[in-house]
């Protein structure tokens, strides 16, 4: 399975297409398709049929469509800028993704 430079929970910026310049959080990745689902990005309107038994009302529902990861850049939690991703091995042997701009570690929770 090919691995992606973006991971679930990352904050990413769209660098191409209609949502260019917008940021959002990665909800899900699809490594095989090289695509990711990003919160608030590439929202399409899905027409849904009402399903009374499951309590679903019909109508037009906005949902995210997967976007190709080549259109995404990870936003660094350290310097808050979109960056290319490097790799580093920590002293304890864990591999982490790092920011190519500030060398900050990308694999951590956003606190801002
Ligand atoms: Zn950085």
């Amino acid at each position: 399975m090919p691995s992606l430079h973006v991971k679930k929970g990352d904050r990413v910026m769209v660098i191409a297409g209609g949502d260019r310049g917008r940021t959002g959080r990665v909800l899900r990745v699809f490594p095989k398709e090289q695509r990711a689902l990003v919160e608030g990005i590439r929202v399409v309107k899905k027409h849904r049929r009402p399903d009374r038994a499951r309590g679903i009302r019909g109508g037009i529902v906005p949902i995210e469509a997967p976007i190709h990861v080549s259109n995404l850049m990870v936003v660094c939690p350290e310097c808050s800028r979109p960056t290319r991703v490097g790799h580093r091995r920590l002293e304890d042997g864990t591999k982490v993704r790092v920011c190519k701009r500030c060398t900050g570690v990308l694999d951590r929770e956003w606190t801002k």
Side-chain angles (χ1 to χ4, degrees):
M1 191 83 90
S3 70
L4 304 180
H5 67 285
V6 297
K7 284 186 177 164
K8 184 179 168 183
D10 281 353
R11 187 164 297 183
V12 291
M13 180 177 277
V14 182
I15 54 167
D19 283 321
R20 175 135 118 215
R22 299 182 59 198
T23 59
R25 190 175 285 269
V26 176
L27 303 173
R28 227 184 126 181
V29 291
F30 306 92
K32 221 159 64 178
E33 290 83 17
Q34 298 272 295
R35 284 173 187 276
L37 212 57
V38 184
E39 195 175 34
I41 301 298
R42 232 173 146 233
V43 175
V44 295
K45 291 188 172 78
K46 187 166 190 157
H47 295 261
R48 186 181 269 173
R49 204 175 278 278
D51 185 344
R52 289 236 179 89
R54 289 158 71 193
I56 295 169
R57 271 190 288 165
I60 300 164
V61 192
I63 59 148
E64 284 97 356
I67 186 168
H68 200 264
V69 293
S70 64
N71 296 328
L72 300 174
M73 269 187 125
V74 177
V75 178
C76 172
E78 210 66 61
C79 64
S80 304
R81 290 183 296 175
T83 180
R84 288 191 298 128
V85 175
H87 293 91
R88 202 201 310 157
R89 194 180 283 274
L90 299 180
E91 279 163 29
D92 67 356
T94 14
K95 267 199 242 170
V96 291
R97 294 172 307 152
V98 294
C99 172
K100 287 249 187 182
R101 288 183 193 263
C102 73
T103 71
V105 175
L106 298 174
D107 291 298
R108 66 179 183 83
E109 279 297 303
W110 268 83
T111 46
K112 293 168 208 166

